[in-house]
């Protein structure tokens, strides 16, 4: 295990980089962090996990890591990347027309790259249309060109694909949270928020409860990322919701021994990216 002020690297001591062609690389990029995992698909073992929190310039720090980190330059079997982007729209499948992608981009508020991506979510009845920040796009094109690209809430949808009734999924970094509201196997709302402290989180939480007309007694809250039982964010949630659970990673998919000394829910959304198609 290697640690710096805001980052951690966990590596299986038996990991042989020469077996990279047997492995998948999953990379999760948020507004203020990035993390990756290496998963050996033959031995079904988690071989490495890296996490960098509190990035002042995520795109620049990611580009630097890709240049310097040998694990990010190996010839992997598959590479999957989820990227935070404000430019995303969920189009109901009944209305989706693949020949009109540019018209969906008219709803995007921020200028980004000209490449438009689509991802179908058949279980939830919609197709996602999105594009990425230009510098992120250029960085991926230069160093991880073969990577399949997904927007930031895709891993949470993978974690929530078997949930029924009403579920609020919250995925935390050290300074933000991504939220996804599911009801009867439909995505009702998704968004990301920067937060500096529990009081600010409390404000957003009350706003979400009010605007989305959430029934705290009828909502299961599933937590992942940088949150702990009885910390400020957890205690804030417990004031309003009675059913709080940690959203655990897909443990039956592969051996996660290298995470034994870490809270199991820290990397749930990162590892769920491997389930995305």
């Amino acid at each position: 295990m290697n640690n710096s002020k805001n980052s951690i690297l966990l590596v299986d001591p038996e990991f042989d980089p020469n077996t990279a062609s047997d492995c998948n690389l999953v990379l999760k990029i948020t507004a203020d962090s990035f993390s990756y995992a290496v998963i050996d698909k033959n031995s079904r073992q988690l071989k490495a996990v890296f996490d960098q929190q509190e990035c002042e310039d995520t795109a620049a720090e990611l580009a630097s890591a890709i240049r310097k980190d040998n694990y990010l330059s190996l010839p992997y079997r598959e590479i999957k990347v989820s990227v935070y982007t404000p430019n995303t729209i969920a189009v109901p499948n009944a209305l989706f027309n693949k020949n009109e992608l540019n018209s969906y981009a008219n709803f995007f508020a921020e200028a980004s790259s000209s490449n438009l991506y689509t991802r179908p979510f058949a279980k939830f009845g919609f197709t996602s249309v999105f594009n990425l920040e230009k510098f992120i796009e250029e960085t991926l094109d230069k160093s991880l060109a073969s990577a399949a690209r997904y927007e930031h809430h895709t891993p949470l949808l993978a974690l929530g694909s078997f949930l029924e009734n009403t579920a609020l999924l919250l995925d935390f970094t050290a300074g933000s949270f991504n939220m996804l509201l599911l009801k009867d196997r439909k995505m009702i709302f998704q968004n990301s928020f920067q937060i500096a402290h529990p009081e600010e989180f409390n404000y957003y939480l009350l706003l979400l409860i009010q605007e989305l007309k959430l029934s705290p007694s009828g909502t299961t809250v599933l937590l992942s990322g940088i949150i702990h039982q009885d910390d400020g964010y957890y205690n804030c949630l417990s004031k309003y919701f009675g059913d709080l659970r940690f959203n655990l990673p897909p443990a039956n998919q592969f051996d996660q021994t290298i995470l034994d000394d870490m809270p199991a829910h820290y990397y749930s959304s990162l590892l769920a990216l491997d389930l995305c198609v």
Side-chain angles (χ1 to χ4, degrees), residues 157 166-169 179-183 186-191 208 212-214 219-220:
L157 282 168
T166 301
L168 179 63
L169 287 78
M179 64 84 59
L180 183 69
L181 178 62
L182 303 177
K183 184 176 182 180
K186 293 181 180 179
M187 185 178 75
I188 305 301
F189 186 77
Q190 74 87 19
N191 210 335
L208 290 168
L212 299 175
K213 297 180 172 57
L214 283 177
T219 302
T220 297

Side-chain angles (χ1 to χ4, degrees), residues 7-277:
S7 67
I8 185 170
L9 173 64
L10 304 168
V11 181
D12 180 344
E14 297 182 357
F15 176 43
D16 180 359
N18 293 315
T19 64
S21 60
D22 296 329
C23 301
N24 282 4
L25 172 71
V26 290
L27 170 63
K28 175 187 169 188
I29 306 166
T30 76
D32 59 353
S33 72
F34 64 91
S35 55
Y36 70 74
V38 176
I39 303 164
D40 190 312
K41 303 297 284 187
N42 279 358
S43 66
R44 297 170 59 86
Q45 290 180 309
L46 182 61
K47 291 297 186 179
V49 170
F50 174 83
D51 187 21
Q52 175 75 49
Q53 292 289 320
E54 298 181 279
C55 296
E56 294 185 7
D57 186 335
T58 304
E61 292 184 46
L62 172 66
S64 176
I66 289 177
R67 288 194 305 270
K68 299 175 182 178
D69 189 334
N70 292 332
Y71 289 119
L72 289 174
S73 62
L74 297 174
Y76 291 104
R77 175 178 172 178
E78 283 187 89
I79 302 174
K80 299 179 181 183
V81 182
S82 70
V83 186
Y84 168 76
T85 174
N87 289 348
T88 177
I89 182 172
V91 183
N93 285 338
L95 303 176
F96 179 70
N97 186 336
K98 65 180 181 180
N99 297 317
E100 296 183 0
L101 294 185
N102 288 331
S103 66
Y104 302 129
N106 293 330
F107 294 96
F108 296 162
E110 298 187 17
S112 297
S113 75
S114 58
N115 294 328
L116 287 175
Y117 299 95
T118 63
R119 288 288 173 189
F121 293 94
K123 288 184 178 180
F124 297 98
F126 71 90
T127 296
S128 182
V129 182
F130 62 100
N131 66 7
L132 307 179
E133 179 188 343
K134 187 175 181 181
F135 186 66
I136 290 284
E137 183 89 59
E138 291 173 347
T139 298
L140 295 177
D141 285 344
K142 182 177 180 180
S143 304
L144 298 171
S146 66
R149 299 169 197 193
Y150 304 84
E151 59 195 315
H152 54 279
H153 66 257
T154 305
L156 281 185
L157 282 168
L159 287 173
S161 60
F162 301 104
L163 296 173
E164 298 190 19
N165 302 321
T166 301
L168 179 63
L169 287 78
L170 301 175
D171 189 40
F172 290 81
T173 71
S176 67
F177 72 98
N178 184 28
M179 64 84 59
L180 183 69
L181 178 62
L182 303 177
K183 184 176 182 180
D184 300 327
R185 295 184 178 272
K186 293 181 180 179
M187 185 178 75
I188 305 301
F189 186 77
Q190 74 87 19
N191 210 335
S192 295
F193 303 89
Q194 300 291 117
I195 47 174
H197 43 69
E199 291 75 19
E200 190 172 14
F201 175 64
N202 188 77
Y203 166 79
Y204 285 122
L205 189 59
L206 287 174
L207 184 64
L208 290 168
I209 292 172
Q210 176 181 326
E211 295 299 318
L212 299 175
K213 297 180 172 57
L214 283 177
S215 169
S217 61
T219 302
T220 297
V221 180
L222 295 161
L223 307 171
S224 57
I226 313 300
I227 183 171
H228 304 271
Q229 189 164 358
D230 295 327
D231 70 6
Y233 297 124
Y234 188 95
N235 289 337
C236 178
L237 284 160
S238 66
K239 291 190 299 184
Y240 309 105
F241 297 94
D243 189 5
L244 297 179
R245 308 177 192 177
F246 287 109
N247 210 350
L248 302 181
N252 62 332
Q253 298 296 315
F254 40 81
D255 181 332
Q256 302 170 28
T257 301
I258 66 170
L259 295 180
D260 281 352
D261 294 329
M262 304 292 291
H265 61 276
Y266 260 27
Y267 303 112
S268 298
S269 59
L270 170 65
L271 299 179
L273 186 53
D274 191 54
L275 303 176
C276 299
V277 296

